Amino acid sequence: MLKNLLVIFFLFSFSSLNSLTFKSDGSVISSKGETLTKSFADRYQKALTQYINGEEILDWPIVEINSSGNPIKKKGFMGEKLLKEGAPLFSLPKVLSGDPVEAISMNNGLIQENFIQVMLANSSEKWSNEKGFGEEIINNAKDNVNNLVSEDFQEFKLTILSKEFIKETRTYGSFEEIKDTESFTELSAKLNKFYGADTDISSKILEEKFKSNLGNQSFAINAQSFKTIIQDRTGILINDHGWTDNLVRNELSSISKEIGEEINIDKELAKINEEAGKAAMDYANSDLKQALEEAANAAQAEAVNDVATRVAAAEAYAASASAARQEAEKAVADAANDEARNAALAELERTLKEEQGAQDNLSNVIETEAIEP
């Protein structure tokens, strides 16, 4: 009885959900390719912008305090113990790999340096005092976050584009190879989303990127290159607060030390925040990293349970469709006359299509949960 109830529940759920794609970045895509729910990164950026501008935060969890004066834990999110009341919480990625601070930063539409600044700017007075961050450090962080929001998160956008480009050059060695592929369409869509570049301009940007032969070059060089080409092709002035220039300068500085040569580099490297930077990063690499690892591990455990539920539901749906097909086959074999046989054949054709759809759905669920980035 319980098994039948579970099958009915899963069938009911999948009748409305099997045409949707739930991506690990938090977005939900319809069968027509429409974005029904935006990514965690997009939604957090919007929430942070609303918070900085003193607006009501819509459709994103914030720090709330219960009647006992303690912060309320929100499933899948973190920061309630270190952020001030009303600040937007940070979403936890379903899959954690590499540096946990970087993984959580990118999941929320921020590069790691900016994540630290947001954490400081929105920190509760109790937490910042406990960690020894003075008023000047906090105020500097607030200025940096205000600039970040006003310039629409340029560092994150350039990071996404550069990482995607470097990844695609491992598969496509030239613009001619990529221009008619889904990869090109996705890169072009990001350029349109970030900078309003239409298909023609996006194509010219990507063509110039491939001709620059930077696929095997460093992330710093690619980020700076993307910024320059986008500015030239769109006429948009990208203010990343000196971030790409600093990446390249720091890289050159590192190379000069390795090869023992003098390279003319500006000694006054722009810092996101000279005072807060080192202190915050030191903290991020010790206490914060440990806290984030614990939170991410907990989120990962929740994600495993969620995966198991989705796979079980998909399996139940496939099993039910298979059973219906078998009943239809039996009806064809038992048909007493041509009219009954024709009706049974029509039902068999329908159940075959439903079974194929259920099997495709099961394969999609397993593949998505197993390999989706």
Side-chain angles (χ1 to χ4, degrees), residues 217-221 245-256 263 265:
Q217 296 298 315
S218 69
F219 169 78
I221 296 294
D245 293 336
N246 288 342
L247 286 176
V248 175
R249 288 169 180 166
N250 288 334
E251 184 174 274
L252 291 175
S253 178
S254 175
I255 293 173
S256 69
I263 298 179
I265 306 169

Side-chain angles (χ1 to χ4, degrees), residues 2-13 313 316-317 319-320:
L2 178 60
K3 181 178 179 182
N4 290 334
L5 287 175
L6 285 173
V7 170
I8 292 171
F9 170 76
F10 287 142
L11 285 175
F12 176 78
S13 299
Y317 180 43
S320 175

